[in-house]
Every structure is written in structure tokens, then in C-alpha cells.
């Protein structure tokens, strides 16, 4: 009864932090203020820049930096009507590394690796940058951290209390570890993969507004599938969908995004 009452109280508390996400039309949990998320991102970016600044960052006069910055500026200007884009300060950092990768921080810092710029053409690069912008627009980091906190509060803490009282310490520790693994696979990793699918869709829509060739999205991931080859890991242990599944998803969005381009006068 105590556990049930506690869970009901926690559930009622969490309901006050539910918001309807206009990008997905889904109710989402956002427990943290955006300022809190951005302050934490500022600290992380400072650490990254301090570690990479002397060896691994391309200067603003480097041709690759100019290319990435130009693609990003075109994308931002084409979507300036979006409040979350217009009111945020964005920064581009190009990392001199052959890895085909890019990521974004919640404070608007977009990191693009030179390996990605070498593999992707301008349209593909625009779609990838749009994907990173979408993570910020959809507040994915806030949602992921909120879900993880809620799951630990409503599942892990009661389970740990019950198992500790019912089992010897070694058995209870093992059982709690198994519960933690199940939640990691079924909730955390599943949430991350869902976020990637959402960012692929919204990122392609942002790129469509910039009049890029939206067919280049699925072509990029088909290219990456050939470069990376078949994955040797179990799909439900991955943080991202497979290259082939991302290609199929982006291919299915071509028709709807071309309609957006017609509305944008492309």
C-alpha cells in the first residue's frame, strides 16, 4: 500500500511536467527548465573546446569550415520563421577528424566532423545538419533525462527497496542490476532510437524549406550502409536505427517533403 501510494504521488507530480509537443503531437515529459539544460551544455562545450582547440578544430578560413558554415546558414535562414531557430544563437564547430559524425549540444553548438563533410555532398550535409537542429527543436535531451529520472523514481527505487528487503544482499544486488539492464534496453535505448527517427523527419523538413534535394537523404544512408557494412550488434542494443532503416524512412518522406518545397516556392 505504501509503494502504491508513493507511485500515485510521483505520477501526479510528473503529470504537471507533461507538455504537448507541437512537432510530434505527442505528450512529452519535460522536468527540467531549458536554462538548466543549456547551462550544463555550456560547461560540456567548454570542456570539449578546451580539449580540441589546440589540435583538432578547423579555423573559420578553412574551406571545409566555410562550406559547413555556409550550408548551416542557408538552412537557418530558410527556417527563420521557426521561433526556436530564430531566438537561439547557433554556432558551428568543425572537427578535423576522419570520423563520419556530427552532433549538437543543447546550447546551439553544432559539431561537424571533417570526415562527414568529405563523404556528404552539400544537400546531404544540409539534411544531416537539419537532423542535428531538430534534436534541439524537439528538446530531446530534456525529454530523455526527464524520462530516465521518472523511470528511476517510479521503477528502480521501489524495486530496489522491495528486493533489498526480500532477498539476501548479493541476490538483491544481482536482481537490481538485471532490472536496471531491462530498463536501459526497453526504455532508454528505445527512447533514443525514437528520437533519432523523429530528428530524421523534422531535419528533412527543415532541409526541404531550404530547397535542397530531399532525395539525397536516403541516398546518404544507403551510401553509409555500404561503407559501414552490416551491423554486428543486436539492433535493440543500439542507440541509433540501422543505416538501411534510416534510408527506408527518409525515402518514405520524400513525397510529403516535396509538398513542403512547393509551399516554400522552391
Amino acid at each position: 500500500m505504501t509503494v502504491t501510494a508513493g507511485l500515485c504521488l510521483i505520477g501526479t507530480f510528473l503529470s504537471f511536467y507533461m507538455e504537448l509537443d507541437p512537432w510530434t503531437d505527442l505528450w512529452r515529459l519535460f522536468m527540467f527548465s531549458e536554462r538548466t539544460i543549456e547551462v550544463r551544455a555550456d560547461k560540456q562545450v567548454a570542456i570539449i573546446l578546451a580539449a580540441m582547440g589546440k589540435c583538432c578544430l578547423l579555423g573559420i578560413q578553412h574551406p571545409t569550415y566555410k562550406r559547413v558554415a555556409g550550408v548551416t546558414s542557408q538552412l537557418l535562414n530558410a527556417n527563420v520563421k521557426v521561433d526556436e531557430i530564430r531566438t537561439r544563437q547557433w554556432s558551428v564547430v568543425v572537427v578535423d577528424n576522419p570520423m563520419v559524425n556530427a552532433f549538437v549540444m543543447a546550447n546551439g553548438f553544432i559539431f561537424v566532423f571533417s570526415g562527414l563533410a568529405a563523404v556528404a555532398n552539400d544537400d546531404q550535409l544540409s539534411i544531416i545538419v537539419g537532423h542535428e537542429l531538430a534534436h534541439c527543436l524537439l528538446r530531446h535531451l530534456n525529454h530523455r533525462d526527464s524520462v530516465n529520472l521518472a523511470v528511476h523514481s517510479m521503477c528502480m527505487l521501489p524495486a530496489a527497496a522491495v528486493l533489498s528487503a526480500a532477498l539476501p544482499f548479493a541476490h538483491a544486488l544481482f536482481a537490481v542490476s538485471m532490472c536496471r539492464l531491462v530498463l536501459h534496453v526497453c526504455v532508454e535505448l528505445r527512447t533514443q532510437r525514437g528520437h533519432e527517427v523523429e530528428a530524421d523527419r523534422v531535419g528533412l523538413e527543415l532541409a526541404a524549406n531550404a530547397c535542397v534535394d530531399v532525395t539525397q537523404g536516403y541516398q546518404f544512408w544507403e551510401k553509409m550502409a555500404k561503407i559501414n557494412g552490416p551491423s554486428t550488434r543486436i539492433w535493440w542494443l543500439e542507440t541509433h536505427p540501422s543505416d538501411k532503416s534510416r534510408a527506408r524512412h527518409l525515402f518514405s518522406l520524400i513525397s510529403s517533403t516535396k509538398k513542403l518545397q512547393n509551399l516554400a516556392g522552391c
Side-chain angles (χ1 to χ4, degrees):
M1 291 179 62
T2 302
V3 170
T4 302
L7 292 177
C8 289
L9 288 173
I10 294 174
T12 302
F13 172 77
L14 293 178
S15 67
F16 289 102
Y17 292 92
M18 298 293 292
E19 297 181 27
L20 182 62
D21 184 2
W23 292 95
T24 61
D25 289 328
L26 297 173
W27 285 94
R28 288 285 172 80
L29 181 66
F30 298 110
M31 295 186 64
F32 304 96
S33 70
E34 286 304 301
R35 181 56 186 163
T36 299
I37 298 294
E38 290 177 4
V39 167
R40 187 175 67 179
D42 288 340
K43 296 178 181 179
Q44 293 171 335
V45 167
I47 294 173
I48 294 172
L49 294 180
M52 293 183 173
K54 295 181 179 180
C55 67
C56 311
L57 301 183
L58 297 182
I60 59 176
Q61 298 303 322
H62 194 280
T64 300
Y65 183 93
K66 289 183 177 181
R67 178 178 168 231
V68 174
V71 166
T72 305
S73 296
Q74 179 184 0
L75 193 63
L76 294 174
N77 291 334
N79 292 278
V80 71
K81 293 182 179 179
V82 179
D83 290 340
E84 295 89 342
I85 287 180
R86 184 178 63 256
T87 59
R88 186 188 296 270
Q89 182 176 353
W90 302 92
S91 301
V92 174
V93 178
V94 180
V95 182
D96 187 14
N97 188 292
M99 184 182 298
V100 182
N101 192 24
F103 63 91
V104 68
M105 303 299 289
N107 59 353
F109 270 78
I110 305 167
F111 289 80
V112 177
F113 287 64
S114 59
L116 172 62
V119 170
N121 59 39
D122 285 357
D123 287 340
Q124 293 169 349
L125 189 58
S126 180
I127 292 170
I128 297 301
V129 173
H131 170 96
E132 301 305 331
L133 295 177
H135 279 305
C136 286
L137 305 187
L138 294 161
R139 296 189 288 171
H140 278 159
L141 181 60
N142 193 337
H143 179 243
R144 187 186 70 191
D145 289 351
S146 299
V147 169
N148 290 343
L149 179 59
V151 166
H152 280 78
S153 300
M154 298 190 69
C155 298
M156 283 304 301
L157 292 181
V162 171
L163 292 171
S164 298
L167 299 174
F169 176 76
H171 293 173
L173 183 61
F174 176 77
V176 170
S177 299
M178 289 299 98
C179 290
R180 177 69 184 86
L181 177 61
V182 170
L183 289 175
H184 176 66
V185 171
C186 296
V187 178
E188 294 179 20
L189 292 180
R190 185 173 181 273
T191 299
Q192 284 185 263
R193 289 194 300 272
H195 286 170
E196 295 301 321
V197 172
E198 292 175 356
D200 278 344
R201 176 184 65 81
V202 174
L204 189 64
E205 292 174 356
L206 296 176
N209 291 334
C211 298
V212 306
D213 180 3
V214 293
T215 65
Q216 292 297 314
Y218 86 90
Q219 292 182 35
F220 172 80
W221 287 110
E222 284 187 342
K223 183 192 302 183
M224 292 304 301
K226 293 178 181 178
I227 293 174
N228 295 329
S231 176
T232 57
R233 296 184 60 183
I234 303 173
W235 68 268
W236 41 267
L237 293 178
E238 297 281 3
T239 58
H240 290 61
S242 68
D243 296 337
K244 289 186 176 180
S245 67
R246 297 181 81 169
R248 288 193 297 268
H249 179 228
L250 288 171
F251 182 82
S252 70
L253 297 172
I254 291 176
S255 177
S256 59
T257 49
K258 283 189 174 181
K259 292 178 181 178
L260 288 177
Q261 289 188 320
N262 291 333
L263 294 175
C266 296

